[in-house]
Amino acid sequence: NRQQREEIRRREQSEARFRDLFEQNSSVMMLIEPASGAIVDANRSAVEFYGYALDELLRMSISAINTLPPEEIAKARERGECKYFEFKHRLASGEERDVEVHITPIGDNERPLLVSIVNDVSARRRAERELEQYRGHLEELVASRTAELMRAKLAAVIKTKPEAEWT
């Protein structure tokens, strides 16, 4: 009996630690039901990031915020071996953000869940696109300048060689 009480106390402490870790975390976190995609729980950071009230989020499916078609989202969820995804998520405002999602299955066969940790990478993706544009522009400038130099070199060679040497 004493061992049972101690085990119950330890389990309650463990559950409280997990609840605190989930609720107080600065990372956007949600618990997702794998089969349906229903959002079972969301932390304060998720509420702030997505712009929905908690009760609104809890009535939604992940497909309501993910911009992929629902069947693509379902395929991604079903591929249990993959724990990392890149998606676009739609906020309550309608704005779309680039996100990296890390998923960890928890629970048991009775009620499996997915812990979904969402990182907003919109600024990084924007910077990557800008960098790619700059690199493309730089390559165009280098190619243009190289062509100019080749024309100038050819003109200089033509100018310095007498016509008799060309025939």
Side-chain angles (χ1 to χ4, degrees):
N1 201 355
R2 183 172 181 224
Q3 284 180 325
Q4 287 176 332
R5 282 194 307 266
E6 184 62 27
E7 180 60 31
I8 290 170
R9 186 184 68 74
R10 274 190 242 132
R11 187 175 298 138
E12 287 172 348
Q13 287 176 335
S14 176
E15 289 172 3
R17 279 192 302 271
F18 175 78
R19 174 62 47 197
D20 286 346
L21 172 72
F22 181 79
E23 289 177 353
Q24 305 301 319
N25 205 304
S26 61
S27 294
V28 173
M29 297 178 77
M30 295 182 287
L31 295 178
I32 310 290
E33 199 282 315
S36 68
I39 299 172
V40 176
D41 203 355
N43 68 0
R44 181 182 58 228
S45 295
V47 168
E48 292 170 6
F49 177 71
Y50 289 108
Y52 292 102
L54 180 60
D55 63 324
E56 289 178 283
L57 275 173
L58 299 184
R59 290 191 307 265
M60 297 170 74
S61 167
I62 195 66
S63 61
I65 58 178
N66 195 314
T67 62
L68 281 179
E71 58 276 3
E72 292 295 319
I73 299 168
K75 283 182 198 173
R77 276 197 318 270
E78 289 167 8
R79 289 191 303 263
E81 72 280 353
C82 187
K83 307 290 187 236
Y84 168 82
F85 303 93
E86 292 183 8
F87 294 121
K88 281 193 178 289
H89 279 186
R90 187 175 298 110
L91 309 183
S93 66
E95 178 186 357
E96 291 183 3
R97 297 274 183 92
D98 293 307
V99 296
E100 293 177 341
V101 181
H102 298 267
I103 294 179
T104 303
I106 62 169
D108 52 31
N109 290 336
E110 191 175 306
R111 182 146 194 227
L113 293 172
L114 300 173
V115 176
S116 178
I117 301 174
V118 179
N119 298 305
D120 183 0
V121 295
S122 299
R124 180 174 54 177
R125 292 289 182 262
R126 225 176 356 266
E128 288 169 353
R129 285 189 296 271
E130 287 176 12
L131 185 59
E132 187 59 35
Q133 287 176 341
Y134 289 134
R135 184 172 51 201
H137 180 65
L138 182 59
E139 287 173 0
E140 288 173 8
L141 289 173
V142 168
S144 174
R145 184 65 180 140
T146 301
E148 285 176 26
L149 291 171
M150 293 300 289
R151 284 191 298 274
K153 181 178 179 182
L154 184 59
V157 167
I158 291 172
K159 211 178 208 184
T160 59
K161 297 240 180 195
E163 264 185 58
E165 290 183 31
W166 292 100
T167 54

